[in-house]
Amino acid sequence: MQQRVLKVLEFDKVRDQLMKHAASSLGREKAAALVPTSTLQEAVRWQEETDEAAKVIRLRGNAPFGGLTDARASLKRSIIGGMLSSQELIEIAGTIYAARQIKHFIEDMVESDIELPLLDERAKMLIPLTDLEKRIKQCIDDNGEILDHASDTLRNLRQQKRTIEGRVRDKLESMIRGSSAQTMLSDAIITIRNDRFVLPVKQEYRSTYGGIVHDQSSSGATLFIEPQAVVELNNAVQQARVREKMEIEKILRELSEWTAQDADAILRNIEMLAEMDFIFMKARYAKEIKASKPELNDSGIIKLFKARHPLLPGDNVVSNDIALGDEYSTIVITGPNTGGKTVTLKTVGIFTLMAQAGLQVPALDGSELAVFQSVYADIGDEQSIEQSLSTFSSHMVNIVDILRKADENSLVLFDELGAGTDPQEGAALAISILDEVYGRGARVIATTHYPELKAYGYNRDGVINASVEFDIETLSPTYRLLIGVPGRSNAFEISKRLGLDDYVISSAKGHMTAESNEVDKMISALEDSRKQAEAEMADAEKIRKEAEQLHNELQQQILEFNEQRDRLFEKAEKEAVERLAEAQTEAENVIRHLRKMSKEQYGQIKEHELINARKRLEEAQPVFQKSKKAPAKKKTEHSLKAGDEVKVSSFNQKGHLVEKTGDKEWQVQIGIMKMKVKESDLQYLGTPKEIENKPLATVKGRDYHVSLELDLRGERYENALMKVEKYLDDAVLAGYPRVSIIHGKGTGALRKGVQEFLKNHRSVKNARFGEAGEGGSGITVVELK
């Protein structure tokens, strides 16, 4: 990729944002050197690694990289025999600790059946050097100080040093406590100069203490004197310190030698940890910009859903759907300036670079991007004073370079193509340049405000017009991209809104050619058709969701019915087995009794005894009580009318009549579904009180199509409560036992208001927040009476 293109598309700014999420200087170094790859296989692997790290962050919050530092220079010095400082050694121990922690962390997740094949592969390459880590930490504390128990010799030397220092202090403190000390000393304290214990003595009493002068105050009034009485003891302290220093150097040298033995393994760990920090850095950045993993291809196909430029503030940016490379390979975006054309151009460019660099993009799941060998961009005012080039000349220098290199594996972005020169010549040049790049098979997006290029998209296969929507009411762009609709200047509408007289506008329209007027009318008709299609699509989507929800509810009811039926069958079977067992036992008892009687009476059994035995056998036969069918209700002669509650016998479902559709046929509302049912299949249940006293025309005109959910998000407080009251009345009339009110979480004001309102409503039996799978505290589930 050209460095100029990376800068023009602001990839360097994305890198700067990415670097803020590094856990170490190693990760920042990787991010600073990041450039997009032009290989599909490599880009796919990078994306999969980022996605695995995003999964880890989603499940565990973050990955443990504590202790990781860039110890490469220290390790290389140990290899050539250098002695490392205690601080360098403790940093190396921290890096070993970081490798051990991240290795165990990934392995634990994999053992928990979380699929992380690429991260697990990297974690397995980390070498846990536990022995070296323990050796270093046994000798050095976290602040880099050598511990007493680093060696027996060091412990003894420090004990001797502390003993001698104690004797020196005792000697000097006895001097401080002397009767003349208050007169001769500037201050009654023991201090240190040149690593030796001294007393602050006034200048005039220097000869009293004798010894060695090590320093004096800035005024010269105080001398810091080592009294003769402690000189020998101070010498002993110094000797102890020298021996201590030599022992510390010996310990550090031994630790450095042990480190050198494992230096190559630690360097490999550092390289792997840097890569893993870099991967998790990309995942943390993806979380910040609410990005998702794009699917990648090498077919030049781009499909973006609700794409947002990553450098624009999330609250203000408008998302757009963008498609290129499938049905058409060139998009020409026309329309006035400041409408968002350049932002759209840069969004496609930066998304492509991010995807090829392993970065997720701020768009919805299912978005798709192509991996290009080259990305070319001619964007912005590149007037060059140093080279004495005008804006047009500077653009042409870039375009000439693009035309030399662009091919079927290229993405080419032109901003204001042909601008900076005569409009007629500029438009002709723009068409010729687009033809050339299009003919080479490149994917092209170009912006322009030349009206001649509007016809370009209609006259060539594989080319489509687009524009950025402009709101005439507010006189401002909405920044929504409209594929298939060329841009309009809107000059007449804006002028009219701003107060220009109609006759002036009419005169201006007369100066326009018939062709221009026809094109303008065509564009206006396209915009109206698009808005109507969007509204109809939104309605259809709403109905589809309601039908899907009803389908799911019915499926759940069928599952519950089947489970209940199976339980009843199981219970009946168990009861039958028990009764048969009882009958068999009774029959055996009867037979045994008969045999006994036969033996005792020698075959002369009386008739009444046989009759009693037969009766006992008959009573032993199990009798299963059949379920009683409810007696069929006599059909009451009732003249059905719209609004009556009925039961559809064939479906065993309740509903109400909407209107009569035939001689013996009615349209019935069951939940949110309407169906035609024969009058013979209907059973009258009653007439709701709300409908009894209403005229027939009012009942027929009422629309009982009520959703199972009411969405209040974005509503004002008062309007929301009015909608809730009307919705509950409609839901009760529709016979719903339970509905849901979506109010969102937000500040909690709307949620609290809805809850308070529901507590006092006459039709509400119970109200609760949704479960975790229902929407949580952003939704209230209402049970109706």
Side-chain angles (χ1 to χ4, degrees), residues 208-226:
T208 305
Y209 289 94
I212 304 168
V213 177
H214 287 277
D215 198 2
Q216 68 177 11
S217 64
S218 57
S219 64
T222 300
L223 299 176
F224 294 94
I225 297 175
E226 178 186 359

Side-chain angles (χ1 to χ4, degrees), residues 397-408:
V397 168
N398 293 333
I399 291 170
V400 168
D401 184 59
I402 291 171
L403 293 180
R404 286 198 189 108
K405 300 174 181 176
D407 56 20
E408 68 276 7

Side-chain angles (χ1 to χ4, degrees), residues 555-571:
Q555 275 191 327
Q556 184 62 32
Q557 291 176 6
I558 290 171
L559 288 173
E560 291 174 358
F561 168 76
N562 289 336
E563 288 176 2
Q564 186 178 5
R565 181 192 62 187
D566 292 342
R567 285 196 300 270
L568 290 172
F569 280 152
E570 186 178 349
K571 182 180 178 183

Side-chain angles (χ1 to χ4, degrees), residues 291-310:
S292 64
K293 172 191 171 188
E295 296 298 324
L296 300 180
N297 65 77
D298 55 0
S299 307
I301 296 174
I302 297 174
K303 293 179 182 178
L304 299 176
F305 304 109
K306 302 298 180 185
R308 313 177 309 277
H309 197 287

